[in-house]
Amino acid sequence: MRRSATLPPLPSLRAFAAVGRLLSFRKAGEELLITQSAVSHHVKQLEDYLGTALFERHGRTISLTAAGQAFLARVDAGFATIEAGVREVRGDPATVRVSLLPSFAANWLVPRLPDFRALHPEIVVELDPSLETVDLGQGTADLAIRYGAPGWPGLDAECLMREALTPVLSGTEEPLREPGDVLQHTLLLSRRETDWQMWAKACGVDFAKARTLQLVDYNLVLQAAAEGQGIAMGRLSLVRERLRNGALVAPLPVVQAQDDAAYWLLSAKGRGLPKSAAAFRQWLLGEARAFAESA
């Protein structure tokens, strides 16, 4: 079969995409199950074919050139299109894979999924609840939802919604009458202390004097608070139902957080979304807007 006059060899494109994502010839070789020297050969072959350098070498590190960055976006989009075409020809169901925090999945997203399924019965939603970083460029997920401050290198990030923060506790606990009363209790922490620090600073409470208990997962924090083991920092987007049914109470001021306490919808930078993921993204952004307007 005659080789295309304009398309480079496929192995070179695969090697380039892996190195461009990982910024490491060694790691790319491990992923592709070939030697580091073979990866280097494929990339050099591609650079010769294109007539331009795709990487800049800095001793033991590398970075993409401007041409490399632009070409990587095209190559990633091309592979994504081919993958989608293969699924269509094989008759695979349309799937969207979402990596997200377990607390956001359980307390906000899962109750709303029946609405998405009613709109798009042809799309299968696969949720991967995880606290760990996910490599969206590697194709392990189409979208990710994470919580925290802005700044997600190498990713396209959209602010899904901002949080409002207030301490929550069991109604059986000693009542809280003013912000400083929280220091008389154990403060329950998830993986990050930032929520408590933000609220304490806004309300004039010295967080450094607090007695704390680290529980890592926010679902565990809420469960411990409901059982009277301490006070949780309530993210109102996630605890609204527990406040309505009386499992938790929120007697103290609410602090409206800004971008430092927000949910972010993340996708691989410069890589087009499959139709199923694009449909889920559009629905999710609409649900978040409606939720914010109902608060």
Side-chain angles (χ1 to χ4, degrees):
M1 183 178 293
R2 181 178 296 173
R3 179 180 294 179
S4 168
T6 56
L7 288 179
L10 181 60
S12 294
L13 291 174
R14 292 183 65 228
F16 164 68
V19 176
R21 175 164 37 81
L22 299 170
L23 292 180
S24 168
F25 287 89
R26 178 183 60 80
K27 291 180 180 178
E30 292 172 353
E31 179 178 292
L32 298 173
L33 302 179
I34 58 178
T35 65
Q36 180 175 334
S37 61
V39 174
S40 298
H41 171 75
H42 284 309
V43 171
K44 179 65 166 58
Q45 184 182 32
L46 183 60
E47 289 178 325
D48 290 343
Y49 188 92
L50 297 173
T52 188
L54 299 173
F55 295 99
E56 293 179 352
R57 279 72 172 175
H58 315 280
R60 295 186 177 182
T61 64
I62 60 171
S63 62
L64 285 158
T65 63
Q69 290 178 339
F71 191 56
L72 180 62
R74 294 284 192 177
V75 171
D76 280 345
F79 280 136
T81 300
I82 293 171
E83 291 170 2
V86 170
R87 288 195 295 268
E88 289 176 5
V89 171
R90 293 196 314 193
D92 295 345
T95 301
V96 56
R97 295 162 295 176
V98 186
S99 172
L100 74 172
L101 300 174
S103 56
F104 189 84
N107 297 289
W108 196 90
L109 182 58
V110 169
R112 292 171 168 77
L113 281 182
D115 294 339
F116 180 78
R117 288 198 294 269
L119 287 171
H120 295 281
E122 77 284 4
I123 297 177
V124 176
V125 179
E126 296 181 356
L127 299 183
D128 177 22
S130 174
L131 297 173
E132 303 305 321
T133 302
V134 62
D135 188 349
L136 293 173
Q138 198 170 5
T140 53
D142 300 301
L143 298 165
I145 300 171
R146 291 295 185 267
Y147 179 73
W152 303 91
L155 297 173
D156 287 329
E158 299 175 272
C159 184
L160 194 57
M161 55 188 179
R162 294 173 177 83
E163 264 297 2
L165 304 171
T166 189
V168 295
L169 67 163
S170 166
T172 62
E173 287 282 274
E174 181 180 344
L176 303 177
R177 294 181 173 82
E178 58 184 38
D181 289 347
V182 299
L183 297 179
Q184 301 171 19
H185 298 256
T186 297
L187 307 188
L188 305 170
L189 306 181
S190 57
R191 180 176 277 191
R192 60 204 300 272
E193 299 179 353
T194 313
D195 288 355
W196 267 111
Q197 291 170 343
M198 255 189 293
W199 181 88
K201 182 178 180 181
C203 295
V205 175
D206 187 356
F207 179 76
K209 295 181 179 180
R211 182 174 70 251
T212 64
L213 174 62
Q214 186 88 39
L215 295 173
V216 182
D217 180 27
Y218 191 66
N219 280 330
L220 299 178
V221 168
L222 294 182
Q223 184 63 34
E227 293 177 357
Q229 297 182 36
I231 303 176
M233 179 49 61
R235 300 172 188 169
L236 292 188
S237 296
L238 304 188
V239 302
R240 185 184 291 185
E241 187 57 34
R242 295 176 191 247
L243 294 176
R244 284 176 176 168
N245 63 27
L248 295 169
V249 296
L252 294 176
V254 174
V255 171
Q256 296 293 330
Q258 298 303 313
D259 286 350
D260 284 352
Y263 298 96
W264 300 89
L265 182 59
L266 309 175
S267 57
K269 195 172 187 64
R271 184 173 181 174
L273 290 173
K275 289 182 179 179
S276 55
F280 187 81
R281 169 191 168 276
Q282 183 177 7
W283 171 81
L284 187 62
L285 291 171
E287 286 292 306
R289 283 194 299 270
F291 181 79
E293 291 168 0
S294 70

